[in-house]
Amino acid sequence: MNIINNEFNTFLRELRKAKGLTIVGLASKSGLSRSYISQLERGERGKDGVPSPDVLKKFSKALDVSYQTLMMKAGYLQEDSEELLKKYKQKVALLEETRKEITLAYQHLEYLNNAFSALNTTIPQSAYEKEERSKRILRKLNEIDHAEQMINSKVQLCNKLSSELKDLVQITDATIDYEEAQIKNLLEAFDGPTSGVLELENLFNMAQEIHLNGRKLTDQEKEKALQILKLTFDTDTNKTD
């Protein structure tokens, strides 16, 4: 099986262990099956190796971790809320258009069925008319079959769009919450208490990514950098005193 995302499944497994939970324990707390969680931790379930926002919400409660954190780790929070809202409107428009097409297709199918019924009630007067009638009936049957296939295809598209819209709503909500949290952290960093250490912590917490010399710092490296800065501030304070 092709495993596309090797990061989230590892993160989920390590997070579960850090919380002191077995797969059975996580299954009990989240309401998800043991086999699903096991496959998810191996990167064998979900879309591109990650679960849906609905599943992430269940993990959020079971693992006592913020929904936004899980959404970021799963790669959902990569676009701003304006772009997501634009996508939402586009999908809604497509869904409405598809529903209109289904309505028209059903009307056309009804017309075909009526025409087929009318053909069946006609009585041919000659062998030629009987042959022509058979050909027309066969054509109508083919047209009916084609119309039914098109309706099924449109219905499947509607179901897919409805599911995507449901996920998109949750992703957009989580993104808006995350952006609001960033703004709040920024305001606290500059307008809150004047402690240098607190300001640095807020800035580190609000930054989704921190780069140094063109390389993205890992969480461990960010924590190490923060500790170094704390020590620096403490040393400067002692010298001043």
Side-chain angles (χ1 to χ4, degrees), residues 120-223:
N120 277 331
T121 58
T122 59
I123 301 174
Q125 301 298 320
S126 64
Y128 172 78
E129 289 180 355
K130 184 177 181 180
E131 183 180 352
E132 285 299 309
R133 175 175 170 271
S134 297
K135 290 179 180 178
R136 292 175 66 189
I137 287 176
L138 183 60
R139 282 197 298 270
K140 288 299 177 188
L141 286 172
N142 287 334
E143 290 175 6
I144 289 171
D145 183 61
H146 176 72
E148 288 176 342
Q149 288 181 14
M150 186 178 70
I151 289 173
N152 288 334
S153 175
K154 294 292 183 182
V155 169
Q156 289 177 7
L157 177 58
C158 268
N159 292 336
K160 180 174 179 291
L161 287 170
S162 296
S163 176
E164 289 175 351
L165 280 171
K166 182 181 178 182
D167 286 348
L168 197 54
V169 167
Q170 295 191 47
I171 294 169
T172 304
D173 287 344
T175 301
I176 291 172
D177 289 344
Y178 174 69
E179 290 172 349
E180 289 177 349
Q182 281 188 311
I183 293 171
K184 182 180 178 181
N185 285 337
L186 186 61
L187 292 174
E188 288 179 352
F190 289 99
D191 297 333
T194 57
S195 167
V197 173
L198 180 59
E199 290 179 3
L200 285 170
E201 286 178 342
N202 282 336
L203 288 171
F204 268 72
N205 288 334
M206 83 176 180
Q208 185 172 353
E209 293 184 1
I210 295 179
H211 291 254
L212 180 64
N213 297 328
R215 186 175 67 82
K216 176 184 173 182
L217 297 183
T218 64
D219 291 341
Q220 291 80 7
E221 288 171 335
K222 286 193 291 184
E223 180 62 28

Side-chain angles (χ1 to χ4, degrees), residues 17-239:
K17 291 180 178 178
K19 297 291 183 177
L21 291 172
T22 62
I23 289 180
V24 175
L26 181 55
S28 177
K29 293 189 69 174
S30 65
L32 300 165
S33 70
R34 289 174 292 175
S35 60
Y36 175 80
I37 295 173
S38 179
Q39 290 173 335
L40 195 58
E41 288 189 357
R42 296 197 301 269
E44 298 173 358
R45 289 295 296 270
K47 183 179 180 182
D48 294 343
V50 298
S52 69
D54 270 340
V55 172
L56 290 177
K57 187 165 287 187
K58 293 178 180 179
F59 279 141
S60 171
K61 294 178 181 178
L63 293 167
D64 191 26
V65 63
S66 76
Y67 181 48
Q68 288 72 31
T69 297
L70 293 181
M71 291 286 279
M72 287 177 60
K73 290 293 184 180
Y76 285 112
L77 299 188
Q78 295 178 344
E79 299 174 280
D80 61 34
S81 55
E82 288 187 8
E83 285 298 317
L84 289 168
L85 288 171
K86 188 184 297 183
K87 279 188 177 182
Y88 177 81
K89 291 178 181 179
Q90 290 172 346
K91 285 189 182 293
V92 167
L94 180 57
L95 181 60
E96 290 177 351
E97 183 63 29
T98 304
R99 285 173 174 168
K100 290 178 182 177
E101 291 175 356
I102 291 174
T103 299
L104 293 175
Y106 270 118
Q107 292 173 355
H108 181 59
L109 180 60
E110 184 179 3
Y111 164 78
L112 292 174
N113 283 322
N114 290 336
F116 178 75
S117 299
L119 276 174
N120 277 331
T121 58
T122 59
I123 301 174
Q125 301 298 320
S126 64
Y128 172 78
E129 289 180 355
K130 184 177 181 180
E131 183 180 352
E132 285 299 309
R133 175 175 170 271
S134 297
K135 290 179 180 178
R136 292 175 66 189
I137 287 176
L138 183 60
R139 282 197 298 270
K140 288 299 177 188
L141 286 172
N142 287 334
E143 290 175 6
I144 289 171
D145 183 61
H146 176 72
E148 288 176 342
Q149 288 181 14
M150 186 178 70
I151 289 173
N152 288 334
S153 175
K154 294 292 183 182
V155 169
Q156 289 177 7
L157 177 58
C158 268
N159 292 336
K160 180 174 179 291
L161 287 170
S162 296
S163 176
E164 289 175 351
L165 280 171
K166 182 181 178 182
D167 286 348
L168 197 54
V169 167
Q170 295 191 47
I171 294 169
T172 304
D173 287 344
T175 301
I176 291 172
D177 289 344
Y178 174 69
E179 290 172 349
E180 289 177 349
Q182 281 188 311
I183 293 171
K184 182 180 178 181
N185 285 337
L186 186 61
L187 292 174
E188 288 179 352
F190 289 99
D191 297 333
T194 57
S195 167
V197 173
L198 180 59
E199 290 179 3
L200 285 170
E201 286 178 342
N202 282 336
L203 288 171
F204 268 72
N205 288 334
M206 83 176 180
Q208 185 172 353
E209 293 184 1
I210 295 179
H211 291 254
L212 180 64
N213 297 328
R215 186 175 67 82
K216 176 184 173 182
L217 297 183
T218 64
D219 291 341
Q220 291 80 7
E221 288 171 335
K222 286 193 291 184
E223 180 62 28
K224 185 177 180 181
L226 182 59
Q227 294 302 323
I228 292 172
L229 287 169
K230 283 183 178 181
L231 289 173
T232 302
F233 274 103
D234 289 342
T235 301
D236 290 343
T237 301
N238 292 333
K239 286 181 178 179

